[in-house]
Amino acid sequence: METELKTLRYDESSDTLSVAVFDDYVHHVICTLELGPILNAVSVSFESNLPSRVVVRHVKDGNGVVYEKPFIRQR
């Protein structure tokens, strides 16, 4: 399985950064077992202030969402 960055969008009107990743199942002659969550990191730079809200989504084929977590900046 390969995890791909599906979308990365910033909506200025809501001051929200949205990040979506997608798992692409790659067929090989061997199989591996994931024993725990695989952590991914995305680094985004802004010229000015950071967004007040970030939404992270793990999506599947079509428009299905496997996981979604919003983060709101505490002031």
Side-chain angles (χ1 to χ4, degrees):
M1 183 167 48
E2 295 177 351
T3 300
E4 302 173 359
L5 181 61
K6 187 78 169 176
T7 59
L8 180 65
R9 293 188 183 124
Y10 175 68
D11 180 11
E12 192 172 352
S13 65
S14 66
D15 195 25
T16 299
L17 175 68
S18 298
V19 178
V21 296
F22 171 76
D23 287 335
D24 187 11
Y25 290 93
V26 179
H27 299 283
H28 295 285
V29 293
I30 61 171
C31 180
T32 59
L33 176 63
E34 294 177 12
L35 298 176
I38 306 298
L39 302 177
N40 298 293
V42 173
S43 181
V44 179
S45 298
F46 285 84
E47 291 180 5
S48 58
N49 294 333
L50 296 174
S52 60
R53 186 167 186 260
V54 176
V55 178
V56 178
R57 290 182 185 90
H58 188 157
V59 298
K60 59 183 179 180
D61 285 334
N63 291 328
V65 174
V66 176
Y67 174 83
E68 181 173 323
K69 175 74 176 172
F71 300 90
I72 300 173
R73 182 176 54 188
Q74 302 295 320
R75 294 186 182 224

Coordinates of all heavy atoms in Angstrom, one line a residue:
M1 N 0.8 -1.2 0.0 CA 0.0 0.0 0.0 C 0.9 1.2 0.0 O 1.9 1.3 0.7 CB -0.9 0.0 1.2 CG -1.9 1.1 1.3 SD -3.2 0.9 2.5 CE -2.3 0.4 4.0
E2 N 0.5 2.2 -0.8 CA 1.2 3.5 -0.8 C 0.3 4.6 -0.4 O -0.9 4.6 -0.9 CB 1.8 3.8 -2.2 CG 2.9 2.8 -2.6 CD 3.4 3.1 -4.0 OE1 2.8 3.9 -4.8 OE2 4.3 2.4 -4.4
T3 N 0.7 5.4 0.5 CA -0.2 6.6 0.9 C 0.2 7.8 0.1 O 1.4 8.1 0.0 CB 0.0 6.8 2.4 OG1 -0.4 5.7 3.1 CG2 -0.9 8.0 2.8
E4 N -0.7 8.4 -0.6 CA -0.5 9.5 -1.4 C -1.2 10.8 -0.9 O -2.3 10.7 -0.3 CB -1.0 9.3 -2.8 CG -0.5 8.1 -3.5 CD -1.2 7.7 -4.8 OE1 -2.1 8.4 -5.2 OE2 -0.8 6.7 -5.5
L5 N -0.6 11.9 -1.1 CA -1.2 13.2 -0.8 C -2.3 13.4 -1.9 O -1.9 13.6 -3.1 CB -0.2 14.3 -0.8 CG -0.7 15.7 -0.5 CD1 -1.4 15.7 0.9 CD2 0.4 16.7 -0.6
K6 N -3.5 13.4 -1.5 CA -4.6 13.5 -2.5 C -4.9 15.0 -2.8 O -5.0 15.4 -4.0 CB -5.9 12.8 -2.0 CG -7.0 12.7 -2.9 CD -6.8 11.6 -3.9 CE -8.1 11.4 -4.7 NZ -7.8 10.4 -5.7
T7 N -5.1 15.8 -1.8 CA -5.4 17.2 -1.9 C -4.8 18.0 -0.8 O -4.6 17.5 0.3 CB -6.9 17.5 -2.0 OG1 -7.5 17.1 -0.8 CG2 -7.6 16.9 -3.2
L8 N -4.5 19.2 -1.1 CA -4.0 20.2 -0.1 C -4.6 21.5 -0.6 O -4.2 22.1 -1.6 CB -2.4 20.2 -0.2 CG -1.8 21.2 0.8 CD1 -2.1 20.8 2.2 CD2 -0.3 21.3 0.5
R9 N -5.5 22.1 0.2 CA -6.2 23.3 -0.2 C -6.3 24.2 1.0 O -6.4 23.8 2.2 CB -7.6 23.0 -0.6 CG -7.7 22.2 -1.8 CD -9.2 22.1 -2.3 NE -9.2 21.2 -3.5 CZ -9.9 20.2 -3.6 NH1 -10.7 19.8 -2.7 NH2 -9.9 19.5 -4.7
Y10 N -6.2 25.5 0.7 CA -6.4 26.6 1.7 C -7.6 27.4 1.3 O -7.6 27.9 0.1 CB -5.1 27.4 1.8 CG -5.4 28.6 2.8 CD1 -5.5 28.4 4.1 CD2 -5.4 29.9 2.3 CE1 -5.8 29.4 5.0 CE2 -5.6 30.9 3.2 CZ -5.8 30.7 4.5 OH -6.1 31.7 5.4
D11 N -8.6 27.5 2.2 CA -9.7 28.4 1.9 C -9.6 29.7 2.7 O -9.6 29.6 4.0 CB -11.0 27.6 2.3 CG -12.3 28.5 2.1 OD1 -12.2 29.5 1.4 OD2 -13.3 28.1 2.6
E12 N -9.3 30.8 2.0 CA -9.0 32.0 2.7 C -10.2 32.5 3.5 O -10.1 33.1 4.6 CB -8.6 33.1 1.7 CG -8.0 34.3 2.3 CD -7.4 35.2 1.3 OE1 -7.2 34.8 0.1 OE2 -7.0 36.3 1.7
S13 N -11.4 32.4 2.9 CA -12.6 32.9 3.6 C -12.9 32.3 4.9 O -13.4 32.9 5.9 CB -13.9 32.8 2.7 OG -14.2 31.4 2.4
S14 N -12.6 31.0 5.1 CA -12.8 30.3 6.4 C -11.5 30.1 7.1 O -11.5 29.6 8.2 CB -13.5 29.0 6.2 OG -12.6 28.1 5.5
D15 N -10.4 30.6 6.5 CA -9.1 30.4 7.1 C -8.8 29.0 7.5 O -8.4 28.7 8.6 CB -8.9 31.4 8.3 CG -7.4 31.5 8.7 OD1 -6.6 31.3 7.9 OD2 -7.2 31.8 9.9
T16 N -9.1 28.0 6.6 CA -9.0 26.6 6.8 C -8.0 25.9 5.8 O -8.2 26.1 4.6 CB -10.4 25.9 6.7 OG1 -11.2 26.5 7.7 CG2 -10.3 24.4 7.0
L17 N -7.1 25.2 6.3 CA -6.2 24.3 5.5 C -6.8 22.9 5.5 O -7.0 22.4 6.6 CB -4.8 24.3 6.0 CG -3.8 23.4 5.3 CD1 -3.6 23.9 3.9 CD2 -2.5 23.3 6.1
S18 N -7.0 22.3 4.4 CA -7.5 21.0 4.3 C -6.5 20.1 3.6 O -6.0 20.4 2.6 CB -8.8 20.9 3.5 OG -9.8 21.6 4.1
V19 N -6.2 19.0 4.3 CA -5.2 18.0 3.8 C -5.9 16.6 3.7 O -6.6 16.2 4.6 CB -4.0 17.8 4.7 CG1 -3.0 16.8 4.2 CG2 -3.4 19.2 5.0
A20 N -5.8 16.0 2.5 CA -6.4 14.6 2.4 C -5.4 13.7 1.8 O -4.6 14.0 0.9 CB -7.6 14.7 1.4
V21 N -5.3 12.5 2.4 CA -4.4 11.5 2.0 C -5.2 10.3 1.5 O -6.4 10.1 2.0 CB -3.4 11.0 3.0 CG1 -2.4 12.2 3.4 CG2 -4.1 10.5 4.3
F22 N -4.7 9.4 0.6 CA -5.4 8.3 0.0 C -4.4 7.1 0.0 O -3.2 7.3 -0.3 CB -5.7 8.7 -1.4 CG -6.3 7.6 -2.2 CD1 -7.6 7.1 -2.1 CD2 -5.5 7.0 -3.2 CE1 -8.1 6.1 -2.8 CE2 -6.0 6.0 -4.0 CZ -7.3 5.5 -3.8
D23 N -4.9 5.9 0.4 CA -4.1 4.7 0.3 C -4.4 4.0 -1.0 O -5.5 3.7 -1.4 CB -4.5 3.7 1.4 CG -4.0 4.2 2.8 OD1 -3.0 5.0 2.8 OD2 -4.6 3.8 3.8
D24 N -3.3 3.8 -1.8 CA -3.4 3.2 -3.1 C -2.8 1.8 -2.9 O -1.7 1.6 -2.5 CB -2.6 3.9 -4.1 CG -2.7 3.4 -5.5 OD1 -3.6 2.5 -5.7 OD2 -2.0 3.8 -6.4
Y25 N -3.7 0.8 -3.1 CA -3.2 -0.6 -2.9 C -2.5 -1.1 -4.1 O -3.0 -1.1 -5.2 CB -4.5 -1.5 -2.6 CG -5.1 -1.3 -1.3 CD1 -6.1 -0.4 -1.1 CD2 -4.5 -1.9 -0.1 CE1 -6.6 -0.1 0.1 CE2 -5.1 -1.6 1.1 CZ -6.1 -0.7 1.2 OH -6.6 -0.4 2.5
V26 N -1.2 -1.4 -3.9 CA -0.3 -1.8 -4.9 C -0.1 -3.3 -4.8 O 0.2 -3.8 -3.7 CB 1.1 -1.1 -4.8 CG1 2.0 -1.6 -5.9 CG2 0.9 0.4 -4.9
H27 N -0.4 -4.1 -5.8 CA -0.4 -5.5 -5.7 C 1.1 -6.0 -6.1 O 1.6 -5.7 -7.1 CB -1.4 -6.2 -6.7 CG -2.8 -5.8 -6.4 ND1 -3.5 -6.3 -5.3 CD2 -3.6 -4.8 -6.9 CE1 -4.7 -5.8 -5.2 NE2 -4.8 -4.9 -6.2
H28 N 1.6 -6.8 -5.1 CA 2.9 -7.4 -5.3 C 2.8 -8.9 -5.0 O 1.7 -9.4 -4.7 CB 3.9 -6.8 -4.2 CG 4.2 -5.3 -4.5 ND1 5.0 -4.9 -5.5 CD2 3.8 -4.2 -3.8 CE1 5.1 -3.6 -5.5 NE2 4.3 -3.1 -4.5
V29 N 3.9 -9.6 -5.2 CA 3.9 -11.0 -5.0 C 4.0 -11.4 -3.5 O 3.8 -12.5 -3.1 CB 5.0 -11.7 -5.8 CG1 4.7 -11.6 -7.2 CG2 6.3 -11.2 -5.4
I30 N 4.3 -10.4 -2.6 CA 4.3 -10.7 -1.2 C 3.3 -9.8 -0.5 O 2.8 -8.9 -1.0 CB 5.7 -10.3 -0.6 CG1 6.1 -8.8 -0.8 CG2 6.8 -11.2 -1.3 CD1 7.3 -8.4 -0.1
C31 N 3.0 -10.2 0.8 CA 2.0 -9.5 1.6 C 2.7 -9.1 2.9 O 3.4 -9.9 3.5 CB 0.8 -10.4 1.8 SG -0.5 -9.6 2.8
T32 N 2.4 -7.9 3.4 CA 2.9 -7.5 4.7 C 1.7 -7.2 5.6 O 0.6 -6.9 5.1 CB 3.8 -6.3 4.6 OG1 3.1 -5.3 4.0 CG2 5.1 -6.6 3.8
L33 N 2.0 -7.3 6.9 CA 0.9 -7.0 7.9 C 1.3 -5.8 8.7 O 2.4 -5.7 9.2 CB 0.8 -8.2 8.8 CG -0.2 -8.0 10.0 CD1 -1.6 -7.8 9.4 CD2 -0.2 -9.2 10.9
E34 N 0.4 -4.8 8.7 CA 0.7 -3.6 9.5 C 0.2 -3.9 10.9 O -0.9 -4.2 11.1 CB 0.0 -2.4 8.9 CG 0.5 -2.0 7.6 CD -0.4 -0.8 7.0 OE1 -1.2 -0.2 7.7 OE2 -0.2 -0.6 5.8
L35 N 1.1 -3.8 11.9 CA 0.8 -4.1 13.3 C 0.3 -2.9 14.0 O -0.1 -3.0 15.2 CB 2.0 -4.7 14.0 CG 2.5 -6.0 13.3 CD1 3.8 -6.5 14.1 CD2 1.4 -7.1 13.4
G36 N 0.4 -1.7 13.5 CA 0.0 -0.5 14.1 C -0.2 0.6 13.1 O 0.0 0.4 11.9
P37 N -0.7 1.8 13.6 CA -0.9 2.9 12.7 C 0.4 3.3 12.1 O 1.5 3.3 12.7 CB -1.5 3.9 13.5 CG -1.2 3.6 14.9 CD -1.0 2.1 15.0
I38 N 0.4 3.8 10.8 CA 1.5 4.3 10.1 C 1.3 5.8 10.2 O 0.4 6.4 9.7 CB 1.6 3.8 8.7 CG1 1.6 2.3 8.6 CG2 2.8 4.4 8.0 CD1 2.7 1.6 9.3
L39 N 2.3 6.5 10.8 CA 2.2 8.0 10.9 C 2.8 8.6 9.6 O 3.8 8.2 9.1 CB 2.9 8.5 12.1 CG 2.4 7.9 13.4 CD1 3.3 8.4 14.6 CD2 1.0 8.2 13.7
N40 N 2.1 9.7 9.1 CA 2.5 10.4 8.0 C 2.7 11.9 8.4 O 2.1 12.3 9.4 CB 1.5 10.4 6.9 CG 1.3 9.0 6.4 OD1 2.2 8.4 5.8 ND2 0.1 8.4 6.6
A41 N 3.6 12.6 7.8 CA 3.8 14.0 8.1 C 3.7 14.8 6.8 O 4.2 14.4 5.7 CB 5.1 14.2 8.7
V42 N 3.1 16.0 6.9 CA 3.0 16.9 5.8 C 3.5 18.3 6.3 O 3.1 18.7 7.4 CB 1.6 17.1 5.2 CG1 1.5 18.2 4.2 CG2 1.1 15.8 4.7
S43 N 4.3 18.9 5.6 CA 4.9 20.2 6.0 C 4.4 21.3 5.1 O 4.6 21.2 3.9 CB 6.4 20.2 6.1 OG 6.9 21.4 6.5
V44 N 3.7 22.3 5.6 CA 3.2 23.4 4.8 C 3.7 24.7 5.3 O 3.6 24.9 6.6 CB 1.6 23.4 4.8 CG1 1.0 24.5 4.0 CG2 1.1 22.0 4.4
S45 N 4.1 25.6 4.5 CA 4.7 26.9 4.9 C 3.7 28.0 4.5 O 3.2 27.9 3.4 CB 6.0 27.2 4.3 OG 7.0 26.2 4.7
F46 N 3.5 29.0 5.3 CA 2.7 30.2 5.0 C 3.6 31.4 5.1 O 4.5 31.5 6.0 CB 1.5 30.3 6.0 CG 0.4 29.3 5.7 CD1 0.5 28.0 6.2 CD2 -0.7 29.7 4.9 CE1 -0.5 27.1 5.9 CE2 -1.7 28.8 4.6 CZ -1.6 27.5 5.1
E47 N 3.4 32.4 4.2 CA 4.1 33.6 4.3 C 3.7 34.5 5.5 O 4.5 35.3 6.0 CB 3.9 34.4 3.0 CG 4.6 33.8 1.8 CD 4.4 34.6 0.5 OE1 3.8 35.7 0.6 OE2 4.8 34.1 -0.5
S48 N 2.5 34.4 5.9 CA 2.1 35.2 7.1 C 1.6 34.2 8.2 O 2.1 33.2 8.4 CB 1.0 36.2 6.7 OG -0.1 35.5 6.1
N49 N 0.5 34.6 8.8 CA -0.1 33.8 9.9 C -0.5 32.4 9.5 O -0.9 32.1 8.4 CB -1.3 34.5 10.5 CG -0.9 35.8 11.2 OD1 0.2 36.0 11.6 ND2 -1.9 36.7 11.2
L50 N -0.4 31.5 10.5 CA -0.9 30.1 10.2 C -2.4 30.1 10.2 O -3.1 31.0 10.8 CB -0.5 29.2 11.4 CG 1.0 29.0 11.5 CD1 1.4 28.2 12.7 CD2 1.6 28.3 10.2
P51 N -3.1 29.1 9.5 CA -4.5 29.1 9.5 C -5.1 28.8 10.8 O -4.5 28.2 11.7 CB -4.8 27.9 8.5 CG -3.6 27.1 8.5 CD -2.5 28.0 8.8
S52 N -6.3 29.3 11.1 CA -6.9 29.1 12.4 C -7.5 27.7 12.5 O -7.8 27.2 13.6 CB -8.0 30.1 12.6 OG -9.0 30.0 11.6
R53 N -7.7 27.0 11.4 CA -8.3 25.6 11.4 C -7.6 24.8 10.3 O -7.3 25.2 9.2 CB -9.8 25.7 11.1 CG -10.5 24.4 11.2 CD -12.1 24.7 11.2 NE -12.8 23.5 11.4 CZ -13.4 22.8 10.5 NH1 -13.3 23.1 9.2 NH2 -14.0 21.7 10.8
V54 N -7.3 23.5 10.7 CA -6.7 22.5 9.8 C -7.6 21.3 9.9 O -7.9 20.8 11.0 CB -5.3 22.2 10.2 CG1 -4.7 21.1 9.3 CG2 -4.4 23.4 10.1
V55 N -8.0 20.7 8.7 CA -8.8 19.5 8.7 C -7.9 18.5 7.9 O -7.5 18.7 6.8 CB -10.1 19.7 8.0 CG1 -10.9 18.4 7.9 CG2 -10.9 20.8 8.7
V56 N -7.7 17.3 8.6 CA -7.0 16.2 8.0 C -8.0 15.1 7.7 O -8.8 14.7 8.6 CB -5.9 15.7 9.0 CG1 -5.2 14.5 8.4 CG2 -4.9 16.8 9.3
R57 N -8.0 14.6 6.4 CA -8.9 13.5 6.0 C -8.1 12.4 5.4 O -7.1 12.6 4.7 CB -9.9 14.0 5.0 CG -10.9 15.0 5.5 CD -11.9 15.3 4.3 NE -12.8 16.3 4.8 CZ -12.6 17.6 4.7 NH1 -11.5 18.1 4.2 NH2 -13.5 18.5 5.2
H58 N -8.5 11.2 5.7 CA -8.0 10.0 5.1 C -9.1 9.5 4.3 O -10.2 9.1 4.8 CB -7.6 9.0 6.2 CG -6.8 7.8 5.6 ND1 -6.0 7.0 6.4 CD2 -6.8 7.2 4.4 CE1 -5.5 6.1 5.7 NE2 -6.0 6.2 4.4
V59 N -9.0 9.5 2.9 CA -10.1 9.2 2.1 C -9.8 7.8 1.4 O -8.7 7.3 1.3 CB -10.3 10.3 1.0 CG1 -10.7 11.6 1.7 CG2 -9.1 10.5 0.1
K60 N -10.9 7.3 0.8 CA -10.9 6.0 0.1 C -11.4 6.3 -1.3 O -11.8 7.4 -1.7 CB -11.6 4.9 0.8 CG -13.1 5.2 1.0 CD -13.7 4.1 1.8 CE -15.2 4.4 2.0 NZ -15.8 3.3 2.8
D61 N -11.5 5.2 -2.2 CA -12.0 5.4 -3.5 C -13.4 6.1 -3.5 O -14.2 5.9 -2.6 CB -12.2 4.0 -4.2 CG -10.9 3.4 -4.6 OD1 -10.0 4.2 -4.9 OD2 -10.8 2.2 -4.7
G62 N -13.6 6.9 -4.5 CA -14.8 7.7 -4.5 C -14.6 8.9 -3.6 O -13.5 9.4 -3.5
N63 N -15.7 9.3 -2.9 CA -15.6 10.4 -2.0 C -15.7 10.0 -0.6 O -15.9 10.8 0.3 CB -16.7 11.4 -2.3 CG -16.4 12.1 -3.7 OD1 -15.3 12.3 -4.1 ND2 -17.5 12.5 -4.4
G64 N -15.5 8.7 -0.3 CA -15.6 8.2 1.1 C -14.5 8.7 2.0 O -13.3 8.7 1.6
V65 N -14.8 9.0 3.2 CA -13.9 9.4 4.2 C -13.7 8.3 5.2 O -14.7 7.8 5.8 CB -14.3 10.7 4.9 CG1 -13.4 11.1 6.0 CG2 -14.4 11.9 3.9
V66 N -12.5 7.9 5.4 CA -12.2 6.8 6.4 C -12.0 7.5 7.7 O -12.4 6.9 8.7 CB -10.9 6.1 6.0 CG1 -10.5 5.1 7.0 CG2 -11.0 5.4 4.6
Y67 N -11.4 8.6 7.8 CA -11.0 9.3 9.0 C -11.0 10.8 8.8 O -10.5 11.2 7.7 CB -9.7 8.8 9.5 CG -9.1 9.5 10.7 CD1 -9.5 9.1 12.0 CD2 -8.2 10.5 10.6 CE1 -9.0 9.8 13.1 CE2 -7.7 11.2 11.7 CZ -8.1 10.8 13.0 OH -7.7 11.5 14.1
E68 N -11.5 11.6 9.7 CA -11.4 13.0 9.6 C -11.2 13.6 11.0 O -11.8 13.2 11.9 CB -12.7 13.6 9.0 CG -12.7 15.1 8.8 CD -13.9 15.6 8.1 OE1 -14.4 15.0 7.2 OE2 -14.3 16.7 8.5
K69 N -10.2 14.5 11.0 CA -9.9 15.2 12.3 C -9.7 16.7 12.1 O -8.7 17.0 11.4 CB -8.7 14.5 12.9 CG -8.2 15.1 14.2 CD -9.1 14.8 15.4 CE -8.5 15.4 16.7 NZ -9.4 15.3 17.8
P70 N -10.5 17.5 12.7 CA -10.2 19.0 12.6 C -9.4 19.4 13.8 O -9.5 18.9 14.9 CB -11.6 19.6 12.7 CG -12.4 18.6 13.4 CD -11.8 17.3 13.1
F71 N -8.5 20.4 13.6 CA -7.7 21.0 14.6 C -7.9 22.5 14.6 O -7.9 23.1 13.5 CB -6.2 20.7 14.4 CG -5.8 19.3 14.3 CD1 -5.9 18.5 13.1 CD2 -5.5 18.6 15.5 CE1 -5.6 17.2 13.1 CE2 -5.2 17.2 15.5 CZ -5.2 16.5 14.3
I72 N -8.2 23.1 15.7 CA -8.4 24.5 15.8 C -7.3 25.1 16.7 O -7.0 24.7 17.7 CB -9.8 24.8 16.4 CG1 -10.9 24.2 15.5 CG2 -10.0 26.3 16.5 CD1 -12.3 24.2 16.0
R73 N -6.7 26.2 16.1 CA -5.7 26.9 16.8 C -6.2 27.6 18.1 O -7.2 28.3 18.1 CB -5.0 28.0 15.9 CG -3.9 28.7 16.6 CD -3.2 29.6 15.7 NE -4.2 30.6 15.1 CZ -3.9 31.4 14.1 NH1 -2.7 31.4 13.6 NH2 -4.8 32.2 13.7
Q74 N -5.6 27.3 19.2 CA -5.9 27.9 20.5 C -5.2 29.2 20.6 O -4.0 29.3 20.4 CB -5.6 27.0 21.7 CG -6.3 25.6 21.6 CD -7.8 25.7 21.7 OE1 -8.3 26.5 22.4 NE2 -8.5 24.9 20.8
R75 N -5.8 30.3 21.0 CA -5.2 31.6 21.1 C -4.9 31.9 22.6 O -5.5 31.5 23.5 CB -6.0 32.7 20.5 CG -6.0 32.5 19.0 CD -6.7 33.6 18.4 NE -6.8 33.4 16.9 CZ -6.5 34.2 16.0 NH1 -6.2 35.4 16.3 NH2 -6.6 33.9 14.8

